[in-house]
Amino acid sequence: MKKNMGPTDKYIRLFVALILAVLVYLKVIEGTWGFAATAVAFVFLLTGAIGFCPLYTLFGINTCKRE
């Protein structure tokens, strides 16, 4: 699995995951929207941590700097 996310994308995803997790924890987002926000936060956390986004592969996007 080749990395296709640059550092800026990683930080943005991790920041959004943190914000969503806090909003769900504080019960600002509840119910169905809370479950959806939790799922998005989990996916963003996972993809941000490993540096690979499957959707980027489908659309041919690569923000990782070339070596």
Side-chain angles (χ1 to χ4, degrees):
M1 183 165 41
K2 191 174 182 182
K3 294 186 180 208
N4 62 1
M5 287 176 48
T8 305
D9 291 339
K10 287 182 188 181
Y11 295 135
I12 290 171
R13 285 175 185 254
L14 294 174
F15 180 72
V16 170
L18 178 66
I19 294 298
L20 287 174
V22 168
L23 290 175
V24 170
Y25 179 75
L26 295 176
K27 298 190 190 250
V28 174
I29 303 174
E30 294 181 314
T32 304
W33 289 108
F35 288 120
T38 303
V40 170
F42 179 73
V43 169
F44 275 16
L45 182 65
L46 182 65
T47 58
I50 64 175
F52 177 77
C53 178
L55 286 177
Y56 279 13
T57 304
L58 290 175
F59 294 114
I61 299 171
N62 185 352
T63 60
C64 193
K65 292 186 179 185
R66 305 262 188 238
E67 293 183 8

